[in-house]
Structure formats: structure tokens, C-alpha cells
Amino acid sequence: MTTSDQDQDQDRQQEQEQDHGPGESPAAIPVTVPAATAGDDVPEQDAPERRLTPRQARRLRIVLSSVGMAAMGVVLALRIASRSSVLVVGVYGLALILCGVVIELSRNGRTRLGSWLLGVGLVAAVGADWLLIP
């Protein structure tokens, strides 16, 4: 269990304690459910918003970083084949390193930071390719 998972568990426990007293169990709180009539077309439960769990977000970020890393490797190979320049190796080498750093950040639960770094870094690499490399 990672630190972010433990923090979420603690947050859920605190929210449950706020909903009811610390010594009172959630089962002891009476819940009223409105009865549906035969003519109601309203579904019994509204579908809650589907959000990614922290584990899904980490896996998504790892997959995106891996795809970015593979794409940067292919572009690096194509650019070196057309013009061999130290700038080409530098720009795309740094982009590859950035993708690896984002993968490690995602594995350690830093998905937001990884998202920002991946987005800004890949835009910077493409911009540097367009502006710096003839």
C-alpha cells in the first residue's frame, strides 16, 4: 500500500466519523429511502461520476509515458538518419529521460506532478525541435 492509498483510507475514516459520532456505528444511523411509484421513470440510483482511482491514474500515466518514450525513440532514430546533430540527440535524449522520470513518479504515486511534467516536457521537446533544429 502506497502513501497516497493510506492517506485516502485515513480521509475516508475521518469523513465517516464526521457523518456520525465517533462511538456510533454507521449501521445505527436510520436511513430513509423514498418509495418509487409505478409511474416514475426515474432510475433508482443516479449513476455516480466515474473517476479514476489512484491506481488507475498511475497505470494510465505509466502507459502514456511509455508510449511517449517509444514515440520519442522512433522520432530520434528518424531525425538522426536524416541529419546527425548533437542538438537532435540532446533534445530527444532529454525527452526520453523525462518520460522515464514520469514513469518513476507515477509508480511512486506522484501522478499530478508526472502529468504536468509529461505535458510541459513533451511540448518543450517538440518546440525545441521546431525552433532549434534546422
Side-chain angles (χ1 to χ4, degrees):
M1 185 180 283
T2 62
T3 312
S4 61
D5 293 336
Q6 292 171 352
D7 292 340
Q8 288 180 349
D9 288 341
Q10 289 175 353
D11 290 342
R12 278 191 222 121
Q13 289 174 354
Q14 289 174 354
E15 288 174 3
Q16 288 174 353
E17 287 179 3
Q18 289 174 354
D19 291 343
H20 54 80
E24 187 177 323
S25 71
I29 299 172
V31 177
T32 59
V33 178
T37 61
D40 287 343
D41 290 333
V42 179
E44 291 181 16
Q45 292 180 348
D46 293 332
E49 270 189 51
R50 302 270 317 175
R51 295 187 67 181
L52 293 177
T53 64
R55 178 172 288 163
Q56 290 172 333
R58 283 193 295 272
R59 287 185 182 174
L60 177 65
R61 201 72 54 233
I62 289 170
V63 167
L64 288 176
S65 297
S66 300
V67 168
M69 187 178 277
M72 288 297 155
V74 169
V75 172
L76 175 62
L78 293 174
R79 294 289 282 181
I80 287 178
S82 66
R83 14 181 137 79
S84 60
S85 170
V86 175
L87 275 176
V88 171
V89 175
V91 167
Y92 288 103
L94 287 174
L96 287 169
I97 291 170
L98 175 75
C99 288
V101 167
V102 170
I103 289 171
E104 281 302 310
L105 285 172
S106 296
R107 287 183 63 225
N108 292 322
R110 296 298 199 175
T111 54
R112 287 187 192 142
L113 177 62
S115 299
W116 281 103
L117 279 177
L118 184 64
V120 171
L122 293 181
V123 167
V126 170
D129 180 28
W130 185 61
L131 291 174
L132 297 177
I133 301 172

